[in-house]
Amino acid sequence: MELYFLGTNAGVPTLQRNVTSVALRLLEERRSFWMFDCGEATQHQILRSPLRLGKLEKLFITHLHGDHLFGLPGLLSSRGYQGGIAPLTVYGPPGLKNYLDISLSVSQSRIPYKLEIVEHTGGLVFEDDSFKVEAGLLEHRIDSYGYRVTEKDSPGSLNTELLQSYGLKPGPLYGKLKKGENVTTEEGIVIYAAEVVSEPKRGRIVTILGDTRPCEGTLPLSVNADLVVHEATFAHDLADMAYQYHHSTARQAAELAKEAGAHQLLLTHFSSRYSNPEALIPLLEEAQMIFPETLLAEEFCAFPVYRRVLRN
């Protein structure tokens, strides 16, 4: 599991950075990737990346501002031309379906795969045996949502060498042991699951927040997250401007990560006034003073999501 950034700029693209989009690569977990937001030219960014649109399984939109949305019709159309045939589900706030229906209809775009559009107003938006995704309303000029992606705990691994020493070969009894059930061999030997199965693997939590100024909604989405992605449109010397435009500063993002007990923070959605990497250093420094485990998101860079033990 890792995050791969396709756009990290706020508002409009620049020669250095594109507008917002980030992929959650789940190649080992699902053999697919999910995407969060799809600003203009995201499909061009994908052409410069290792991502393949045919592997895109789910796409989550935080809000309906153009720098998070305008790349979506073209990407959906191109996915079909590039051989994407697997179903795709797009999640987002009310109004998303109308926007896509009109865009794809007027342009007579051909979508040769099953496309499902799910509008939501927060809460649980997706769940299966291995993942669940929850959304929460933030505070922006229009309804903007953050997403909390929770990987469910997975069973521990079997000690196959020990099992073979008992004369137990792979079969149905292996499955029972992995479920935590004790079993008895044909020779009458009782094998206790706790002795041959390692501790379950704790699922990871990734929080991706849409545009927001500091608000109550960010905390429940971020509590104990392994990785939080938070906008940092401005440095804190422009905190008044950030509040006026319903955005956050790097320091405010760090304060949220610290309060939430997160493990790592990634800053993104930078104002165009910070036009080069050197100009972003003050944002990183002010965040690290409060939350040392902070990094700047970089386009075409992967950031692994590591497992960790929850703090007591």
Side-chain angles (χ1 to χ4, degrees):
M1 180 189 292
E2 63 182 16
L3 286 174
Y4 189 92
F5 285 83
L6 296 162
T8 61
N9 213 55
V12 296
T14 68
L15 293 176
Q16 293 77 30
R17 299 190 300 263
N18 199 49
V19 285
T20 300
S21 183
V22 57
L24 178 62
R25 301 180 73 188
L26 300 167
L27 300 183
E28 292 183 5
E29 296 81 6
R30 303 176 72 91
R31 296 183 180 180
S32 67
F33 74 94
W34 296 354
M35 184 181 293
F36 293 81
D37 285 333
C38 188
E40 183 181 359
T42 293
Q43 64 171 313
H44 289 264
Q45 298 290 87
I46 288 177
L47 293 175
R48 301 169 58 193
S49 80
L51 302 172
R52 296 293 175 266
L53 280 178
K55 294 289 186 181
L56 177 60
E57 179 188 8
K58 296 183 179 298
L59 202 159
F60 301 86
I61 298 297
T62 61
H63 64 293
L64 303 185
H65 276 158
D67 58 321
H68 296 254
L69 183 71
F70 282 164
L72 190 51
L75 181 141
L76 295 178
S77 178
S78 293
R79 185 176 186 264
Y81 285 114
Q82 294 177 18
I85 58 174
L88 172 63
T89 306
V90 182
Y91 303 82
L96 175 63
K97 187 176 189 305
N98 187 43
Y99 169 75
L100 286 177
D101 284 347
I102 293 174
S103 299
L104 298 175
S105 174
V106 169
S107 62
Q108 299 187 28
S109 297
R110 176 177 172 271
I111 306 296
Y113 52 86
K114 180 181 179 182
L115 175 63
E116 183 179 8
I117 303 168
V118 177
E119 295 185 337
H120 68 80
T121 55
L124 182 67
V125 298
F126 168 75
E127 184 171 20
D128 65 6
D129 292 339
S130 55
F131 282 89
K132 70 175 180 179
V133 181
E134 300 161 286
L137 184 64
L138 307 177
E139 192 171 313
H140 194 47
R141 291 192 294 113
I142 62 174
D143 284 354
S144 178
Y145 291 87
Y147 292 97
R148 179 181 174 94
V149 180
T150 302
E151 178 188 33
K152 296 183 179 181
D153 295 346
S154 56
S157 302
L158 287 173
N159 187 334
T160 55
E161 291 185 4
L162 182 56
L163 290 174
Q164 290 173 3
S165 72
Y166 287 127
L168 192 64
K169 297 180 179 180
L173 294 184
Y174 273 39
K176 289 185 177 181
L177 286 167
K178 201 155 190 180
K179 293 178 182 178
E181 302 176 22
N182 301 329
V183 303
T184 303
T185 68
E186 294 180 356
E187 291 76 19
I189 301 173
V190 178
I191 301 177
Y192 296 94
E195 297 179 355
V196 296
V197 182
S198 65
E199 289 292 319
K201 293 181 180 178
R202 189 187 70 82
R204 290 158 288 186
I205 299 172
V206 177
T207 298
I208 299 176
L209 301 173
D211 287 9
T212 186
R213 59 188 180 190
C215 66
E216 294 180 357
T218 58
L219 184 58
L221 292 171
S222 307
V223 168
N224 288 325
D226 296 282
L227 185 58
V228 173
V229 178
H230 197 300
E231 68 134 283
T233 308
F234 301 105
H236 204 69
D237 60 345
L238 296 176
D240 290 343
M241 180 182 291
Y243 186 85
Q244 178 184 354
Y245 288 103
H246 293 79
H247 285 296
S248 298
T249 69
R251 182 190 299 180
Q252 290 166 342
E255 290 170 344
L256 178 276
K258 181 178 180 180
E259 182 182 5
H263 181 57
Q264 192 173 41
L265 171 65
L266 279 175
L267 302 178
T268 188
H269 199 268
F270 308 117
S271 168
S272 298
R273 70 182 59 230
Y274 310 108
S275 58
N276 56 65
E278 291 74 22
L280 291 174
I281 292 175
L283 281 75
L284 178 62
E285 291 177 342
E286 72 178 33
Q288 288 181 335
M289 288 181 63
I290 296 169
F291 191 78
E293 297 300 322
T294 301
L295 296 173
L296 298 173
E298 297 180 51
E299 295 178 19
F300 307 116
C301 287
F303 295 84
V305 184
Y306 298 106
R307 298 183 193 274
R308 66 176 177 128
V309 177
L310 285 178
R311 300 169 183 169
N312 294 325

